[in-house]
Amino acid sequence: MAISSKYDPSEIEKKWYAYWMEHGYFYSKPDERPAFSIVIPPPNVTGILHMGHMLNNTIQDILIRRARLRGYNACWVPGTDHASIATEAKVVAKLKENGIDKKDISREEFLNHAWDWTHEYGGVILEQLKKLGCSCDWQRTKFTMDEDMNAAVIKTFVELYREGKIYRGFRMVNWDPEAQTTLSDEEVIYEEKQDLLYYLEYQLKDGSGSVTIATTRPETILGDTAICVNPHDDRYSTLVGKYAVVPVCGRKIPIIADDYVDIEFGTGCLKVTPAHDMNDKMLGEKHDLDVIDILNPDGTLNHHGLHYEGQDRSVARKAIAKELQSSGVLIKTESITHKVGTSERTKAVIEPRLSDQWFLRMDELSQPAIDAVLNTDEIKFFPKKFENTYRHWMINIRDWNISRQLWWGQQIPAYYYGEGNNDFVVAATKEEALEMAQSVSGQQHLKMTDLRQDPDVLDTWFSSWLWPMSVFDGINNPENEEFKYYYPTNDLVTGPDILFFWVARMIMAGHKFSDQKPFSNVYFTGLVRDKQRRKMSKSLGNSPDALKLIEDFGADGVRVGLLLSAAAGNDLLFDDALCQQGKGFANKIWNAFRLVKGWEVSDKDTPVENTLALDWYANKFDLALAEINDHFDKYRLSDALMTTYKLIWDDFCSWLLEAVKPDYGSPIDKKTYDQVIALFEQNLKILHPFMPFLTEEIWQQNATRDSNQALIVSDWPASKDYDQALITDFESVKEVISQLRSLRKSQQIAFKDQLEVLVYGTMDWNPNLIGLIKKLTNLSDMRKVDEKQDGALSFRIGSTEYFVPIVGPVDTEGELIQLTEELKYTQGFLKSVQGKLKNERFVSNAPESVVAIEKQKESDAMDKIQMLQNRIASLGA
RNA sequence: GGGCGCUUAGCUCAGUUGGUUCAGAGCACUUGGUUUACACCCAAGGGGUCGGGGGUUCGAAUCCCUCAGCGCCCACCA
């Protein structure tokens, strides 16, 4: 049967994925084997596969496939995240396209739309992962808003509330006027912006003068309730205790003193707007100031905005500046560069705003999580450098604002039964809430309809932080068999951008709710960037279509391409040339297979050099395997792949196959053939995690296999001791061959012209390998001589010299130049070595072994100089 | 402003405890090669004073100091 010389992945990948699914190799349930589990970082349910996912999931698949081969009961749990704000924003936008405004529909109607959307697009990204070859246990697919997941979230909330760790507070929060919700600190991106700093003059109430303040937000003067100066600022000491008048609205406000104010900045006078600035809020509380909120939730001014009511803050800013200018209050403006908080999702400028929110106390939760990573080494980070970032954040951790003014997510289980917002109970169900409300309030007549559930939902991460536990039902039912078997999970693979959002919180949740770590190792991938180091993004259009890449290069090619330059934690500069390299590698292996399968097998004797070459490769394989295992242990997956790549391409294809390859038209002996096949299969096993499709295809084409003999469920080769001497021997032989090829090239001696090689000195390797050298460099003979041969081409390896009698005209001039240069270099080298040896401090302080090495270098250099001089002389210079 | 990290070949990066194995890999590049698995190939080769300066040491890419450039995290001064 003719096999194509080009490897075509598309059909093959479909075929084997279907085969793996059909035979349930990805499916896992507890058994007597040790468990190895990974939970997927759940992608946004409405998302599509991008390069970051490709990298991240390729890595997880490599880890899980290797674990499976090593005999673990491997379980990779897939799933998606409801991604509260991101999804809600998409749904709102889609409704808008259809002429529907979120404000005009009920919560229930909106949620129906959101669920429709989820059902329509929710599976897309998971289907794409299948194309990449991901061996997830699809029967376990979870969604963060599945019923049991919701139950876990609610249970956790109630528990934390009863412990006093969750509280409601009227706090300054990051308000996104576009999405009309709060954001956590982590969702706010600070961007450098050019703005104007306005200098405004406030008249004193008693008419005794004025005071000038500087602000970047002049519209907020309408919410001013004080002016603050530094108590040590001599310029203003007489003003403290007096009153100033706010321009435009004419409100009388006190002038107070506080160390918080920086004497150097602006005018040294600070307008205090407790409703719209974190620090002003703090000053307000300290000095008991009024709080005047001038904004509506959508970022327009409310009735405190007076004649600017209804205008957006940015519009009002310009308008008010104009008014202030015409009334002479605006003294000057200055350009200023400062950082402005914007919403990660909507890009809207964040307004600090006071509102009722739910918070989770973090102080007690953080300590065990700090210990687990930084003190006990229970959890390891790869690369380790992220432990520093983690430490810094965990030590300065602040309470977590967990409420969001959205509809898509788990609604907060707080039920109000009175008129205001102060009478409420927290309970897992409304029924339970009713009983509690009746008993707490003493009002037995309360009915279900008297209860109002808090309209807010929980931050998305409040479900994500439970993920490794909740996917195994470990929150609702911690004694269940699966949870005990699979948890804690082994590896987590994610990006450093969600170290705090997610990783840190999972560690806290793990210790809080299961008294255990959620995972043992965290592998941080880098960001995927383009060749110009730009972050890949939709708006730049520099993100390649993931599925198109798989079409072009094959999933195996793409996986290799991604891995080749993505050391843990380093950003990956994606270049599809790397996928091309991956595809090329697949083709190389494919052709090696074609070659071997094309051989005609006979029962002739096995040439001794074949035995030696096969022996060498078997040992070389074990050496490489030890390195590969070590790389895996250290989560250096790129290195593991590169070692495998070189082993297969260089050692297996270029050396072993060339060494045993029969002459054209001749058969190969059966023993060699069988061993080559056996070694080929070993290669397939260690390559399988990286290139699952190609390897399974060859594995199955090579022999008829039962369904329980698929490569995916075979075994990872056992580590064996290897014969280093044998490997070294072969390296020497390779060196001889390489030198002979080099010599042919420099002397322009064609391969078809046979050479004779004379050897002076000892060949400390198996002389049976001469046959191999003869075959690979076309020698008529290679034999030992008792005298050096002056006047012949030569090279030297160790203390042995090799002479090749000239068969044709020699490029004397070129060789002379080369030899002279080499002589000069060697003489310089000798001088430096001798200088070192003459240094008494070196000889007396350095270890003997190091000195011995230098002495060896000295004598080798002297020998070499002698040889070079002889050669030059023989050329008649 | 506080903290962390990086700077090694044209590009992307390895270099664990300072000393045979230390100046490396892959890609790219140069040269030669195709009736005999693969041009998505084979072979040979060029290329770096390890960011600058100083110090410790018999010996520094590796340890210390300093300067310059880059990146990330945290906080945020109106």
Side-chain angles (χ1 to χ4, degrees):
Chain A
M1 182 183 65
I3 312 175
S4 163
S5 72
K6 297 260 187 286
Y7 171 66
D8 175 19
S10 59
E11 287 307 311
I12 286 171
E13 292 182 354
K14 247 178 250 163
K15 178 178 68 182
W16 292 115
Y17 202 86
Y19 181 86
W20 292 328
M21 288 285 277
E22 187 191 326
H23 290 91
Y25 300 131
F26 305 162
Y27 176 64
S28 168
K29 61 173 193 289
D31 61 21
E32 66 290 343
R33 290 175 296 168
F36 183 97
S37 56
I38 294 180
V39 292
I40 203 169
N44 182 342
V45 68
T46 61
I48 55 157
L49 200 65
H50 61 64
M51 296 311 294
H53 295 124
M54 301 262 280
L55 172 64
N56 179 275
N57 288 290
T58 294
I59 289 166
Q60 291 174 72
D61 196 46
I62 290 166
L63 295 172
I64 210 87
R65 281 181 187 270
R66 178 165 176 267
R68 196 179 285 122
L69 286 172
R70 291 176 76 207
Y72 288 94
N73 185 348
C75 180
W76 181 11
V77 183
T80 48
D81 192 287
H82 66 282
S84 175
I85 186 168
T87 304
E88 180 150 334
K90 281 187 192 176
V91 175
V92 168
K94 195 192 169 201
L95 289 174
K96 210 171 192 173
E97 275 174 34
N98 299 333
I100 303 170
D101 194 320
K102 183 187 166 193
K103 282 190 208 112
D104 300 333
I105 58 175
S106 70
R107 184 176 191 129
E108 284 62 39
E109 284 172 312
F110 180 85
L111 289 177
N112 284 337
H113 284 296
W115 277 110
D116 287 349
W117 174 280
T118 296
H119 292 135
E120 192 176 343
Y121 296 100
V124 171
I125 194 159
L126 300 181
E127 289 307 311
Q128 292 176 324
L129 289 180
K130 293 177 183 173
K131 293 225 160 46
L132 188 60
C134 295
S135 57
C136 305
D137 183 351
W138 299 108
Q139 295 184 46
R140 293 179 179 274
T141 305
K142 302 298 287 185
F143 177 50
T144 53
M145 274 175 65
D146 283 346
E147 252 176 63
D148 56 331
M149 306 294 276
N150 287 340
V153 166
I154 298 305
K155 183 180 181 210
T156 306
F157 184 97
V158 172
E159 209 174 301
L160 289 168
Y161 177 78
R162 293 197 176 141
E163 276 182 45
K165 285 201 163 54
I166 285 180
Y167 60 94
R168 222 171 54 119
F170 190 59
R171 289 279 196 97
M172 189 66 70
V173 290
N174 306 298
W175 184 259
D176 176 345
E178 179 101 18
Q180 300 200 24
T181 181
T182 57
L183 300 177
S184 68
D185 293 338
E186 291 74 33
E187 288 166 315
V188 178
I189 311 295
Y190 285 90
E191 284 173 354
E192 196 115 297
K193 259 185 84 172
Q194 274 286 12
D195 266 321
L196 290 175
L197 186 61
Y198 299 83
Y199 285 80
L200 307 178
E201 187 177 36
Y202 286 42
Q203 296 301 321
L204 295 182
K205 174 72 179 164
D206 60 12
S208 64
S210 67
V211 57
T212 304
I213 57 92
T215 179
T216 53
R217 297 188 297 166
E219 74 279 10
T220 62
I221 66 169
L222 299 170
D224 283 358
T225 53
I227 282 182
C228 190
V229 297
N230 191 293
H232 306 292
D233 192 338
D234 296 337
R235 294 172 296 176
Y236 303 118
S237 52
T238 59
L239 297 182
V240 177
K242 292 188 174 181
Y243 287 83
V245 178
V246 180
V248 183
C249 67
R251 185 167 51 245
K252 184 184 87 166
I253 57 172
I255 297 172
I256 59 173
D258 196 286
D259 282 326
Y260 167 74
V261 175
D262 183 349
I263 297 176
E264 303 296 321
F265 189 88
T267 61
C269 287
L270 173 71
K271 68 192 260 319
V272 184
T273 321
H276 297 288
D277 186 279
M278 306 275 182
N279 297 303
D280 291 12
K281 166 82 185 331
M282 177 271 294
L283 282 174
E285 278 167 5
K286 200 162 152 190
H287 298 275
D288 202 20
L289 301 174
D290 290 338
V291 177
I292 300 175
D293 187 340
I294 63 162
L295 289 179
N296 290 315
D298 64 358
T300 59
L301 271 60
N302 62 20
H303 68 279
H304 288 297
L306 305 176
H307 45 288
Y308 297 104
E309 183 174 357
Q311 289 186 16
D312 187 77
R313 61 215 155 115
S314 58
V315 176
R317 177 172 304 171
K318 290 188 190 109
I320 206 166
K322 214 168 194 176
E323 178 183 340
L324 293 170
Q325 186 167 29
S326 57
S327 63
V329 172
L330 178 59
I331 294 172
K332 61 168 179 176
T333 60
E334 261 174 20
S335 184
I336 184 178
T337 311
H338 64 159
K339 289 191 171 172
V340 178
T342 58
S343 165
E344 190 188 25
R345 287 288 160 204
T346 66
K347 308 295 172 209
V349 173
I350 295 306
E351 285 298 333
R353 186 162 184 263
L354 282 167
S355 63
D356 264 322
Q357 299 292 339
W358 294 88
F359 292 90
L360 173 58
R361 258 184 248 289
M362 302 304 280
D363 47 0
E364 283 174 35
L365 290 177
S366 64
Q367 197 51 53
I370 291 173
D371 289 340
V373 176
L374 302 172
N375 299 332
T376 66
D377 240 18
E378 223 182 296
I379 298 174
K380 291 193 174 67
F381 282 4
F382 297 92
K384 205 175 161 60
K385 66 179 178 184
F386 288 112
E387 289 179 8
N388 285 327
T389 318
Y390 180 80
R391 171 187 293 115
H392 194 245
W393 192 75
M394 290 300 278
I395 288 171
N396 298 305
I397 197 163
R398 307 204 298 179
D399 287 356
W400 177 12
N401 173 208
I402 52 174
S403 48
R404 295 289 181 275
Q405 289 64 54
L406 300 167
W407 285 344
W408 181 240
Q410 286 95 9
Q411 195 170 348
I412 288 176
Y415 299 85
Y416 302 88
Y417 54 86
E419 284 299 306
N421 281 344
N422 293 323
D423 298 331
F424 67 88
V425 293
V426 167
T429 64
K430 202 170 178 182
E431 289 72 21
E432 203 185 320
L434 182 63
E435 272 180 44
M436 286 174 67
Q438 287 168 341
S439 108
V440 170
S441 67
Q443 301 170 26
Q444 290 302 317
H445 60 84
L446 281 175
K447 304 184 298 293
M448 281 294 211
T449 49
D450 295 326
L451 295 184
R452 289 174 289 116
Q453 186 172 2
D454 194 297
D456 289 358
V457 298
L458 287 161
D459 181 9
T460 292
W461 301 101
F462 198 85
S463 55
S464 313
W465 80 323
L466 307 174
W467 184 248
M469 283 176 280
S470 56
V471 296
F472 296 116
D473 202 22
I475 296 285
N476 300 321
N477 182 13
E479 293 305 311
N480 88 74
E481 184 201 3
E482 293 222 327
F483 182 61
K484 286 182 174 167
Y485 182 71
Y486 290 115
Y487 186 91
T489 67
N490 296 75
D491 298 339
L492 177 78
V493 182
T494 191
D497 49 332
I498 51 175
L499 174 56
F500 308 130
F501 274 117
W502 196 43
V503 180
R505 287 173 183 159
M506 279 191 287
I507 296 173
M508 290 188 273
H511 284 90
K512 172 69 186 160
F513 302 112
S514 74
D515 276 327
Q516 283 187 78
K517 60 186 174 183
F519 32 71
S520 304
N521 305 291
V522 185
Y523 180 108
F524 290 101
T525 62
L527 257 69
V528 181
R529 297 175 181 275
D530 68 9
K531 269 184 278 189
Q532 285 101 54
R533 279 195 183 274
R534 296 177 307 180
K535 220 166 152 172
M536 283 196 172
S537 72
K538 248 189 234 166
S539 53
L540 274 174
N542 58 349
S543 186
D545 179 343
L547 295 181
K548 181 77 172 28
L549 281 176
I550 292 177
E551 260 174 51
D552 291 348
F553 302 106
D556 290 333
V558 175
R559 290 165 69 114
V560 167
L562 282 166
L563 253 289
L564 276 179
S565 92
N570 281 353
D571 284 357
L572 161 62
L573 271 53
F574 184 78
D575 180 350
D576 54 21
L578 290 167
C579 294
Q580 184 56 51
Q581 195 184 343
K583 188 182 175 185
F585 186 39
N587 199 56
K588 179 72 184 176
I589 297 163
W590 181 250
N591 275 290
F593 179 62
R594 239 168 35 95
L595 170 73
V596 173
K597 290 305 264 191
W599 284 336
E600 184 198 336
V601 182
S602 82
D603 51 7
K604 69 175 190 177
D605 289 343
T606 304
V608 64
E609 62 265 23
N610 278 17
T611 306
L612 288 169
L614 287 161
D615 242 18
W616 160 75
Y617 185 76
N619 281 277
K620 183 73 200 248
F621 180 92
D622 289 328
L623 168 65
L625 180 62
E627 283 175 19
I628 290 163
N629 284 333
D630 185 52
H631 288 317
F632 269 113
D633 289 346
K634 293 171 179 155
Y635 288 81
R636 301 169 61 135
L637 305 198
S638 300
D639 292 338
L641 172 58
M642 187 45 72
T643 304
T644 310
Y645 181 93
K646 286 193 280 192
L647 175 74
I648 294 177
W649 197 307
D650 299 340
D651 295 319
F652 187 74
C653 294
S654 296
W655 285 102
L656 178 64
L657 293 185
E658 292 301 329
V660 302
K661 185 154 93 178
D663 290 338
Y664 183 58
S666 308
I668 193 162
D669 66 278
K670 185 158 188 332
K671 195 178 148 214
T672 299
Y673 178 80
D674 288 346
Q675 285 195 41
V676 167
I677 289 288
L679 291 168
F680 207 133
E681 293 198 336
Q682 293 288 91
N683 293 342
L684 294 177
K685 287 177 181 177
I686 59 172
L687 187 60
H688 181 262
F690 298 103
M691 306 181 90
F693 295 108
L694 169 81
T695 50
E696 185 76 74
E697 169 71 14
I698 294 178
W699 176 265
Q700 302 270 359
Q701 258 199 42
N702 185 45
T704 309
R705 315 272 185 181
D706 293 342
S707 67
N708 62 353
Q709 293 172 321
L711 179 58
I712 185 177
V713 289
S714 63
D715 62 310
W716 187 257
S719 301
K720 288 207 289 272
D721 288 338
Y722 46 87
D723 183 348
Q724 183 60 54
L726 187 63
I727 294 170
T728 310
D729 268 16
F730 204 83
E731 291 305 316
S732 305
V733 170
K734 280 160 80 172
E735 176 74 359
V736 172
I737 292 169
S738 201
Q739 288 280 358
L740 283 168
R741 284 169 173 164
S742 177
L743 193 142
R744 273 184 185 279
K745 179 161 165 132
S746 68
Q747 295 303 320
Q748 300 180 321
I749 303 166
F751 185 81
K752 64 180 188 330
D753 297 327
Q754 283 204 320
L755 295 177
E756 184 186 27
V757 177
L758 308 175
V759 183
Y760 175 80
T762 31
M763 291 184 295
D764 45 4
W765 35 268
N766 190 330
N768 287 328
L769 284 162
I770 286 176
L772 186 60
I773 299 174
K774 286 168 76 175
K775 175 177 177 181
L776 290 178
T777 58
N778 194 20
L779 302 186
S780 59
D781 197 11
M782 178 165 173
R783 58 191 165 85
K784 294 190 68 159
V785 291
D786 298 331
E787 284 178 15
K788 293 192 181 188
Q789 304 286 307
D790 286 346
L793 299 169
S794 65
F795 58 89
R796 193 189 149 93
I797 295 169
S799 54
T800 307
E801 292 173 37
Y802 298 80
F803 299 92
V804 180
I806 304 145
V807 292
V810 176
D811 177 6
T812 314
E813 211 173 307
E815 202 189 348
L816 257 181
I817 294 170
Q818 221 174 19
L819 289 171
T820 311
E821 268 178 23
E822 205 176 345
L823 178 64
K824 210 171 139 191
Y825 175 86
T826 312
Q827 284 168 333
F829 176 76
L830 178 64
K831 207 175 159 188
S832 90
V833 171
Q834 287 175 331
K836 216 186 246 187
L837 287 168
K838 268 185 213 144
N839 183 341
E840 269 177 44
R841 288 188 299 181
F842 170 74
V843 178
S844 54
N845 286 325
E848 259 179 57
S849 63
V850 174
V851 177
I853 288 154
E854 291 304 316
K855 282 187 175 156
Q856 183 62 47
K857 280 184 189 169
E858 182 188 28
S859 80
D860 281 355
M862 291 196 294
D863 277 5
K864 188 168 180 184
I865 287 167
Q866 185 62 50
M867 188 193 93
L868 288 167
Q869 283 170 340
N870 288 349
R871 178 79 189 132
I872 288 168
S874 76
L875 286 171

